[in-house]
Amino acid sequence: MAVNTSAESPLPVGEVSRLIGSWIDRLGAVWVEGQITQLSRRPGAGVVFLTLRDPSYDISVAVTCYRQVFDAVADVVSEGARVIVHAKPEWYAPRGQLSLRAVEIRPVGVGELLARLERLKKSLAAEGLFAPERKKPLPFLPQLIGLVCGRASAAERDVLENARHRWPAVRFEVRNVPVQGVHAVPQVVQAVKELDALDEVDVIIVARGGGSVEDLLPFSDEQLVRAVAACRTPVVSAIGHEPDNPLLDHVADLRASTPTDAAKRVVPDVGEELQRVQALRDRARRCARALVEREERGLAHALARPCMEDPHRMVDERAEQIAALADRSRRTLRHLLDRADSELAHTHARVLALSPAATLRRGYAVLQRADGNVVRSPEDVAAGETLRARVAEGEFTVRADNQGS
C-alpha cells in the first residue's frame, strides 16, 4: 500500500478502499477464538451475521458465514457461547468495513475450558500469585467497603443486608458491573482498580451468585487475576457457591464461600463484640477485685504481726539491750581506769624512789663545777677550785683543798 500522495494529488476514497481490500485479500485464513455477542439469522437468507468479541478486552470483529456452515453447529451455539472460528479476513469496500468470512465454526466445550483454566492456574501459581505469604490481612473493622457486583443482584443484597445487620454503621462504595458475558472482565477490572485507588476503602469484595462454568469464566480471566494481585487493598472473593472455584478465589486475600459469608467474615458482629467487651470488662473487674483482696489479706497479715500490734516493743527490747551494753562498757572502762591508776601509782612510787632528790634526802650531795658539769672523779677537780654542792634542802659552795685519789 505504499503509494505516493500529497495535498495536491490525493487519492479518492474508493481507491484507498480498493488498495486496503487488495492488501487484506493477500492475508491467509486464521483460527480465531471469541464469544458470540450478536447473532443474526434472517429467514431465507443464505448468510449468517454474528459478532465475535474478546471477553478479556473491549474488542470485537464482525463475522459472516454461509448458512450451511452455521447450521452445522446451530444446535450447540447461541449468543454468549465461546467458539473457535476458521476464517479469512475480508474487506467490504463500499462501507470500508473489515470482517471475517468463516468457513468452519467449532464450539468450545466445557472440558476444553476447564483444561485451559487448569493450565492457566498452574502458570499463575508458578509465578507466585497464589502464594500464602502474599495474602494481606483484613482490617478488624473496615470503615468503608468496596463492593463489585451485578446491578440489583442477589449478591449485592446479601452483602449489604448482612453487613449492615452485623454492624449498622458500616459504609459501602458500590460498583455495579456486568458479572457475566463479554463486557464483564474489563468492567470488573476497572471497578477493582477504581476502588483500590481510593485511600478510604479498607477492603474490596467481588461478589456474584452461583452459575455455570461458562457464567463464571470472567472471574478466571488472567487480566482480572493479575489486577487483583496488584491491588494494595485486601480483596475478598465471594463468587458462586461452595463447589464453584474460579481463579479469583486463589489470588484473593480471602475466599468466601458465598456473598453472605463474605459479609460475615469482613464485618464483625456488633452484638458479639459488645458481649466480648462485656466479658473483658467482667474479667478486668474480677482481676482488680482479686488483686485488692490479695493486698488486703497481705495488709491484714502484716498488721497482725507483733511488731505492728505493739510498735514500741522492739524499741523497748533494744533499749534494755543498749542499757545493759552501756553498763557493761562503764564497768569495763572503770576497771581499766582503776588498773591504770594502780599501775600509775606504782610507777610513780618507783620513780620517786629512784629520783636524785630521794637520794639527796638520804644524805648524799651532788658536786658541780662552775660550768655545770657534775664531778664524777677526783681527777676532774683542780686544787683550790670552787665547786657547788647540791643537797636535799639546797646548795652551797665548797673549795677543793688538794687533789686526792
Side-chain angles (χ1 to χ4, degrees), residues 4 18 30 48 52 57 59 64 95 97 105 115-116 162 179 192 211 228 241 245 250 262 278 300 310 316 351 365 380:
N4 295 323
R18 185 190 65 79
V30 293
V48 176
L52 201 61
Y57 300 93
I59 300 175
T64 61
R95 294 185 180 177
Q97 181 179 359
I105 299 176
R116 291 182 184 179
N162 283 278
V179 291
V192 170
V228 171
H241 298 289
N245 193 20
H250 298 280
Q278 185 61 42
D310 184 9
D316 295 340
V351 169
D380 295 337

Side-chain angles (χ1 to χ4, degrees), residues 166-243:
R166 292 172 64 83
W167 198 276
V170 70
R171 297 182 296 118
F172 280 90
E173 183 73 21
V174 181
R175 292 290 187 274
N176 293 123
V177 296
V179 291
Q180 68 183 59
V182 294
H183 301 286
V185 172
Q187 294 197 31
V188 171
V189 170
Q190 181 182 357
V192 170
K193 290 182 178 179
E194 288 179 0
L195 293 174
D196 184 53
L198 298 177
D199 293 335
E200 57 271 23
V201 173
D202 298 319
V203 63
I204 300 172
I205 298 177
V206 181
R208 186 205 190 283
S212 63
V213 175
E214 293 86 348
D215 293 338
L216 299 181
L217 281 178
F219 300 98
S220 293
D221 188 88
E222 181 178 359
Q223 184 184 1
L224 176 58
V225 170
R226 294 189 181 279
V228 171
C231 285
R232 60 177 180 83
T233 307
V235 178
V236 177
S237 173
I239 306 301
H241 298 289
E242 192 62 39

